[in-house]
Amino acid sequence: MLRHLNSSSASRPAPYAALRGFTLIEVLMAVFVLAIALTGMMRMHLNALRAQRQSSYQISATQLASDMAEMIRAWRAPGGDHPFLFDYQHGDAMPAANDCTGGALCDPNALRQFGIAQWLQAVQAALPMARVRICRDAAPWDSSSGSAQWPCSGGAGAGIVIKLGWRAQASGGAASVTEPAPKQIPTPRGPQLILQVGEPAS
């Protein structure tokens, strides 16, 4: 009888064996794997946010360029297209213009200047570190690389082209209109959007 009891006791598992947990190395490995997974997810999320922001900039730039194209067609000055041919980049002084709102009397040239100033303010508010160039250009794209370029060929026979560029990655929000940034802020290397207005002014 005593031998039988001793045999039963020996075959019973020890209490501490059932309560065995994870070792420190196993916990550290699990944390390491989780950290790698979270890092990849965060990177994917940041890339998605950047792509969404760029898409928003592209939509805004397309709308702004279309608005300026309509302005050029509607307010083309007799004998030329001044003052619609200009080169403006973030940090430059805004062009002087009279306020033509609130029933103020403005001649056609003042209306053109006011429209350009309002449009440039909208560009600054919508696109970070924006640059605009409206010029006559027969070849807006570089023939060797196929990329858009800022220089314009000029010439009376060339069509009017609207070129818009902005910083691909903005550190903050949209640029402030009332506080221009210093000149050392990098400007876009090349236009991200080109819109050909059409036939040159007669």
Side-chain angles (χ1 to χ4, degrees):
M1 183 67 180
L2 182 60
R3 182 178 302 173
H4 177 72
L5 291 175
N6 290 338
S7 176
S8 300
S9 301
S11 61
R12 190 181 305 162
Y16 69 86
L19 300 177
R20 180 180 178 274
F22 297 101
T23 64
L24 180 59
I25 295 179
E26 290 173 336
V27 173
L28 291 177
M29 289 297 296
V31 172
F32 179 70
V33 172
L34 181 61
I36 293 178
L38 290 177
T39 302
M41 291 175 60
M42 288 297 297
R43 186 171 300 174
M44 290 177 58
H45 182 65
L46 290 176
N47 290 337
L49 287 178
R50 290 193 187 101
Q52 183 179 6
R53 184 182 302 172
Q54 279 301 310
S55 177
S56 175
Y57 291 154
Q58 193 75 26
I59 293 173
S60 298
T62 302
Q63 183 62 51
L64 288 165
S66 299
D67 293 343
M68 175 53 70
E70 291 300 322
M71 197 184 305
I72 292 174
R73 296 188 185 102
W75 292 353
R76 184 170 293 165
D81 32 36
H82 178 78
F84 292 109
L85 304 183
F86 61 88
D87 188 356
Y88 174 86
Q89 64 185 27
H90 181 79
D92 291 346
M94 295 293 292
N98 296 328
D99 188 0
C100 295
T101 59
L105 296 177
C106 293
D107 59 24
N109 186 60
L111 282 173
R112 295 184 187 98
Q113 295 284 0
F114 176 72
I116 290 174
Q118 292 290 101
W119 183 79
L120 286 176
Q121 288 182 1
V123 169
Q124 280 193 345
L127 303 175
M129 311 302 173
R131 180 180 177 183
V132 181
R133 185 162 194 181
I134 304 178
C135 60
R136 291 187 174 279
D137 194 359
W141 291 272
D142 187 359
S143 57
S144 59
S145 63
S147 58
Q149 57 183 353
W150 288 114
C152 301
S153 62
I160 300 174
V161 177
I162 300 172
K163 302 180 179 184
L164 274 170
W166 58 90
R167 283 278 303 276
Q169 295 181 4
S171 56
S176 173
V177 176
T178 57
E179 299 180 1
K183 283 293 187 177
Q184 62 267 22
I185 291 179
T187 55
R189 292 185 177 181
Q192 280 99 324
L193 185 139
I194 289 182
L195 179 62
Q196 295 177 312
V197 177
E199 294 296 325
S202 56

